[in-house]
Amino acid sequence: MQWAVATYDTAFGYVSAHGAPLIDLLDPRPDERIIDLGCGTGGMTVEIASRGAEVLGIDGSVEMVNTARSEHPNLSFAVGDAHDFSTGDQYDAVVSNSALHWMTRDPSAVISRVREALRPGGRFVAEMGGAGNCADLITAVQTAWRVFGLPEPELPWYFPTPGQYAARLEDAGFTVRLMEFFDRPTRLAECPDGAADWVRLYAPELIAEVPPEVAGPVLDKVNELAAPALRRESGWMADYVRLRFAAVR
Ligand SMILES: C[S@@+](CC[C@H](N)C(=O)[O-])C[C@H]1O[C@@H](n2cnc3c(N)ncnc32)[C@H](O)[C@@H]1O
């Protein structure tokens, strides 16, 4: 996945903005050592550090980590794939906002890496897309692809039910303390081209597989199909569904 890092903070900074309840759930304490997994440009990392914790941001994207380093030069960031990262020391907590659903290769491997990074009693606190996330957007994409005779798009996300993710956590030896599953309609405030812009930012690999001459018409069709459900007078809303959980090693 190639992120549009330059536009990420401005157009889609809401990802970090919506992370506030997660930080409250994490409840970072001064002198705790915490990993922010899938930290992106470090928006949440810096919030956690401001509470006095020592934070290491890890992200699989070199571009994201470079931006995070230049925006927050006093914080620590590392490039690493969540499926196989390891740390020399054990941490008090691992937190992750809006990133676990991108880690599709083997979600259980990610959970087991997190467990290894935690001390006994350490916390894994995260928010991610849950089952049904962006269903209207995704249906519009799938239908538009079909209308244009394109192969079924291979979606780059893992959106589990609460039961599915809780089972993975328990299989890895975590005790699940909290598992919330809720709708979070989200305004695409800086998305003048609505659902089409959402696809451009979050699923550019899908567009890359479309012949260039039909990419524009296909995205117009996505907008046409998604508009009845997602376009309001005040602008476009994305039909986000979230899982938010806290588990203890
Ligand atoms: C939507 S962004 C969220 C960023 C940040 N947590 C925030 O709240 O703004 C998802 C992040 O997950 C990262 N990511 C995706 N797959 C990953 C993987 N396998 N290992 C590490 N990071 C990954 C991406 O590079 C991206 O920065």
Side-chain angles (χ1 to χ4, degrees), residues 3 8 15-16 38-40 59-61 64 80-83 97-99 102-103:
W3 290 88
Y8 178 81
V15 175
S16 303
C39 63
D59 200 280
S61 156
M64 285 286 192
D81 187 332
H83 295 87
N97 184 49
S98 207
W102 292 100
M103 301 170 187

Side-chain angles (χ1 to χ4, degrees), residues 3 31 42 52 69 73 87 92 97 104 118 126 132 141 143 159 188 203 205 208 212 219 223 236 247-248:
W3 290 88
D31 303 325
R69 282 182 176 141
T87 53
D92 298 296
N97 184 49
T104 55
L118 288 171
V141 168
T143 307
F159 297 137
L188 295 177
E205 63 272 64
L219 290 174
N223 267 350
W236 285 82
V248 177

Side-chain angles (χ1 to χ4, degrees), residues 209-232:
E209 287 167 12
V210 173
E213 64 280 10
V214 284
V218 169
L219 290 174
D220 289 344
K221 180 57 88 177
V222 171
N223 267 350
E224 182 193 318
L225 292 164
L230 302 177
R231 193 165 62 199
R232 312 272 189 278

